[in-house]
Amino acid sequence: MWLGRIFLMLAVVLGLSACGGSKFRTYDGPEVTSIQVHKSARKMYLLHNDEVLQTYDIALGRVPEGHKQFEGDGKTPEGTYWIDRRNPRSEFHLSIGISYPNEADRAYASSMGKPPGGDIFIHGHTGTKNPRTGKKNRGDWTEGCIAVKDREMEEIYAMVRNGTIIHILP
């Protein structure tokens, strides 16, 4: 009887450890030299030079068409930026920051008397509950960020380094 309990406890412990618990992965493949986001196709590509390493389905800002111009417009920026920061404690699982706004974005918003906004990230939580609203995320739902599934974000977080160029296309 006690042997059966020990076996059962051992099976539970091994089963739980096999689930992996860490959201921090390692990556030792080819360097990600750039990221391309194709907003109209809802796709993001991680590239090593001209070779596509990974492809992801994405969600965008709640107003997906057009370039982000002002804080609160719900649009995802368009243009060339770079990855400029990492947030391992993101409320959206993990996130990597995009360098929006650039000088031109700030100048345009200023000329219109509005702030350009900021805090644009690639982050997790597609298809799960939004920690801010408690509602299930469907379709385009962010305030201008690019969202992927949590497990995909773990992979992206491991693969992409600060300084990586990101091209966000209409």
Side-chain angles (χ1 to χ4, degrees):
M1 182 80 164
W2 64 271
L3 189 56
R5 285 186 183 171
I6 290 175
F7 181 73
L8 181 61
M9 288 185 351
L10 183 60
V12 168
V13 168
L14 289 174
L16 289 174
S17 66
C19 292
S22 176
K23 61 184 177 180
F24 300 104
R25 298 185 188 187
T26 58
Y27 175 72
D28 62 0
E31 175 188 10
V32 175
T33 56
S34 67
I35 302 168
Q36 282 190 13
V37 173
H38 295 249
K39 289 172 59 174
S40 62
R42 304 299 188 278
K43 296 284 186 189
M44 181 171 69
Y45 305 93
L46 303 187
L47 295 107
H48 174 74
N49 300 322
D50 292 333
E51 176 190 355
V52 175
L53 299 173
Q54 290 292 349
T55 302
Y56 303 96
D57 293 324
I58 60 172
L60 299 169
R62 57 186 163 71
V63 181
E65 290 82 27
H67 173 58
K68 182 166 195 62
Q69 297 175 319
F70 312 112
E71 183 176 306
D73 66 8
K75 295 180 180 181
T76 300
E78 295 173 356
T80 299
Y81 300 92
W82 67 91
I83 300 304
D84 66 351
R85 62 201 182 280
R86 307 168 80 66
N87 186 355
R89 291 184 279 282
S90 171
E91 68 182 299
F92 295 100
H93 192 58
L94 290 169
S95 60
I96 56 176
I98 297 171
S99 64
Y100 175 89
N102 62 26
E103 190 174 316
D105 297 322
R106 284 190 292 277
Y108 179 78
S110 178
S111 75
M112 303 304 281
K114 297 183 178 186
D119 285 337
I120 302 298
F121 288 86
I122 300 170
H123 62 64
H125 276 288
T126 293
T128 61
K129 285 189 178 180
N130 184 320
R132 292 183 181 165
T133 66
K135 296 179 181 178
K136 188 163 175 87
N137 298 323
R138 288 193 165 90
D140 295 316
W141 60 272
T142 75
E143 292 300 313
C145 295
I146 299 162
V148 296
K149 293 177 181 171
D150 287 350
R151 297 297 274 163
E152 295 170 338
M153 190 60 226
E154 293 170 9
E155 185 175 80
I156 294 163
Y157 196 87
M159 293 176 74
V160 174
R161 299 285 165 244
N162 287 1
T164 302
I165 296 295
I166 180 168
H167 305 283
I168 306 173
L169 308 169

